[in-house]
Amino acid sequence: MKTQVVIIGAGPAGMLLCEILSQHGIDCVVLEKNSRAHVLERIRAGVLEQGTVDLLRQYGLGQRMDQEGHVHDGMKIVWAGRESFFIDVKKHLNKQFMAYEQTNIQEDLFLAADRRGAKVITEVANLQLMDLSSNHPHVTFTQNGETSRLDCDYIAGCDGFHGVSRQSIPSELRHEFEKEYPFGWLGILSKTPPLQDIVYANHPRGFALASMRSPSLSRYYIQVPMGSDINEWSDDRFWSEIKSRFPKEMADEMVTGPSIEKSIAPLRSYVCETMRHGQLFLAGDAAHIVPPTGAKGLNLAVSDVFYLSRAFSAFYDQGKTQLLDEYSATALRRVWSSVRISWYLTNLLHRFPGGSDFDQRAQEHELDYLKSSYHAQVALAEQYAGLPFEARNALNT
Ligand code: FAS
Ligand code: PHB
């Protein structure tokens, strides 16, 4: 078999890249190790930057999002029982962001692929990337016990943090940056009406977050120690704990109910510099991971896909390779911006085990400064809403 671009991974990065390339007339095949059902049952991100919303609309993927998504003008921060303050993204930047869950985006992307008759091959195994530094790379994989080979011009590694693509780059060529946080997030989904706003809470008992998926579906998180056992967290224990971390008037507003999903995710920051090796280009979690505090993971996958699809289009439409050559550096500028703000918010809002009294005071005065400074709030709003994608002319192309 032969195609122009092989896409590894049918997560949001892979499926969005497939849709955009297909709309540009570029032939691609998606190879996914799990079943479609497995991909669709994963509960993950929920907040979309303006740039993500605009790109989905641009490619005709925004109808259901615009019907079911929840537009927000900003988010609240509250700490140590004091009154909350609102980071007003709309007032400061005339931008908004959308609460619309990743699972829905995956469904929308798969439906778009079905309508297009896109080639999405699931439940593949033993996938290997070959001849990456030649002009004729290819992949081999097995499916239903049969081994296949797929020749291509380029490979897009969209296979997430535990995928095979990044590992196919020789370790001496990968400059990796990593930071593990000494806690995780216990998240639940419940069929209960959410609070009106997205609220981040810093409390002596630990971080907490109130978010939503729809007017009848709430998403809540609490910081839990590294290595916590989900089986020790009954719904009652969760609701009692999260209520204790919000001011009483907010806690009293929280409608509790049975969890329909409950899981603990570790928190880490990770960046792989380079996002290209020969004819292989990494996009999304395959190249970087952020703690969910800044709601950046999914949005970074989208910005990588924006840059990579633009670069492939310039090559196939005009024979120009400059955007492909610039891809890694261009994508990494936005990656590091999101990695830094996610790291900043994680340090600002969480209680670090073993943190000193000095650390605690410094954190509280950072929160006081943020609460009182218009300029500090504009700076946070600008990064939370998502920096603009770099225009082509910024790259003199
Ligand atoms: P994904 O990991 O989503 O997709 C990669 C795909 O590649 C998967 O379908 C996988 O099965 C496939 N794959 C892997 N290895 C393969 C192989 N060898 N061959 C073929 N296919 C292979 N982000 C936020 O912004 N907010 C959040 O609240 C948030 N919560 C999260 C909670 C959890 C538990 C996790 C794990 C992530 C969370 N994220 C969150 C981040 C998340 O949304 C990612 O940023 C997003 O899924 C990235 O999309 P992809 O890069 O497509 O990677
Ligand atoms: C979510 O709704 O899942 C969510 C919201 C904000 C975050 C992280 C996750 O920072």
Side-chain angles (χ1 to χ4, degrees):
M1 292 186 286
K2 173 116 175 67
T3 186
Q4 290 173 306
V5 180
V6 167
I7 298 170
I8 302 176
M15 291 304 289
L16 179 60
L17 183 61
C18 172
E19 179 59 22
I20 296 177
L21 293 186
S22 302
Q23 290 196 28
H24 285 275
I26 298 169
D27 191 52
C28 56
V29 176
V30 180
L31 300 175
E32 164 60 47
K33 78 171 178 184
N34 285 308
S35 68
R36 180 169 174 161
H38 178 94
V39 174
L40 287 173
E41 70 194 7
R42 292 189 302 228
I43 304 292
R44 287 189 171 168
V47 170
L48 308 182
E49 295 173 353
Q50 186 75 56
T52 296
V53 169
D54 294 344
L55 196 69
L56 291 172
R57 287 174 178 155
Q58 179 185 343
Y59 285 98
L61 297 161
Q63 295 90 332
R64 183 179 169 206
M65 174 186 70
D66 286 328
Q67 286 161 5
E68 300 180 16
H70 187 125
V71 177
H72 289 268
D73 290 347
M75 74 287 187
K76 282 186 178 172
I77 293 178
V78 63
W79 82 99
R82 304 188 207 186
E83 85 274 12
S84 66
F85 62 100
F86 189 71
I87 302 290
D88 197 333
V89 172
K90 182 146 173 53
K91 181 181 81 176
H92 296 316
L93 298 153
N94 194 27
K95 280 186 176 182
Q96 295 171 297
F97 52 88
M98 176 89 78
Y100 182 67
E101 73 174 320
Q102 177 171 326
T103 312
N104 290 353
I105 294 176
Q106 286 277 191
E107 288 171 355
D108 301 342
L109 287 167
F110 272 115
L111 288 173
D114 293 344
R115 284 195 296 271
R116 179 170 307 286
K119 295 183 280 296
V120 180
I121 304 173
T122 57
E123 299 180 84
V124 306
N126 308 312
L127 192 143
Q128 292 191 340
L129 289 67
M130 315 297 281
D131 298 334
L132 293 176
S133 301
S134 78
N135 287 330
H136 303 289
H138 65 275
V139 297
T140 60
F141 60 93
T142 55
Q143 193 200 31
N144 303 326
E146 261 190 59
T147 298
S148 300
R149 167 178 167 141
L150 187 51
D151 288 87
C152 54
D153 300 328
Y154 294 107
I155 299 170
C158 304
D159 47 348
F161 187 67
H162 302 291
V164 66
S165 299
R166 188 178 68 253
Q167 302 306 327
S168 302
I169 301 176
S171 57
E172 64 273 15
L173 298 179
R174 296 196 312 255
H175 190 176
E176 297 177 293
F177 300 80
E178 185 153 18
K179 182 176 188 58
E180 296 258 343
Y181 298 91
F183 37 72
W185 278 20
L186 165 54
I188 73 158
L189 206 56
S190 61
K191 286 183 178 172
T192 54
L195 297 185
Q196 183 188 340
D197 291 307
I198 291 175
V199 188
Y200 294 85
N202 172 319
H203 188 277
R205 294 178 66 88
F207 168 81
L209 169 61
S211 185
M212 74 281 297
R213 292 290 178 269
S214 74
S216 58
L217 201 55
S218 299
R219 181 74 165 153
Y220 290 102
Y221 300 92
I222 55 170
Q223 169 188 345
V224 290
M226 178 92 91
S228 293
D229 180 353
I230 190 75
N231 298 310
E232 291 175 5
W233 282 93
S234 67
D235 287 358
D236 288 347
R237 182 185 177 197
F238 178 88
W239 288 116
S240 162
E241 183 61 39
I242 195 164
K243 280 175 172 272
S244 73
R245 299 187 185 185
F246 281 88
K248 186 176 183 322
E249 73 277 6
M250 278 188 189
D252 291 346
E253 270 184 61
M254 279 183 189
V255 178
T256 65
S259 60
I260 55 175
E261 194 272 347
K262 188 161 56 179
S263 57
I264 295 177
L267 268 64
R268 80 159 51 90
S269 299
Y270 171 86
V271 179
C272 175
E273 285 186 3
T274 179
M275 291 174 64
R276 175 188 190 173
H277 173 59
Q279 306 303 81
L280 168 66
F281 294 85
L282 303 181
D285 278 16
H288 41 72
I289 293 283
V290 286
T293 326
K296 292 298 171 199
L298 174 58
N299 293 294
L300 269 183
V302 171
S303 56
D304 290 347
V305 166
F306 168 76
Y307 290 132
L308 188 52
S309 59
R310 184 176 70 176
F312 280 138
S313 298
F315 172 71
Y316 284 108
D317 295 349
Q318 304 154 13
K320 290 183 177 177
T321 61
Q322 186 172 353
L323 288 178
L324 285 170
D325 297 339
E326 297 273 356
Y327 167 73
S328 187
T330 306
L332 281 169
R333 282 193 288 273
R334 201 167 193 283
V335 164
W336 272 111
S337 155
S338 293
V339 164
R340 193 207 64 81
I341 191 64
S342 302
W343 165 80
Y344 164 78
L345 284 172
T346 302
N347 280 285
L348 179 70
L349 296 168
H350 290 73
R351 292 295 164 122
F352 283 70
S356 67
D357 291 349
F358 174 87
D359 296 337
Q360 199 46 48
R361 275 289 177 277
Q363 187 187 73
E364 285 162 12
H365 283 275
E366 172 70 16
L367 280 161
D368 275 325
Y369 168 64
L370 187 58
K371 184 169 188 291
S372 60
S373 164
Y374 165 84
H375 298 289
Q377 292 190 19
V378 174
L380 175 55
E382 180 184 43
Q383 295 180 87
Y384 192 90
L387 299 179
F389 300 157
E390 288 184 23
R392 283 180 67 134
N393 51 23
L395 306 173
N396 305 315
T397 52

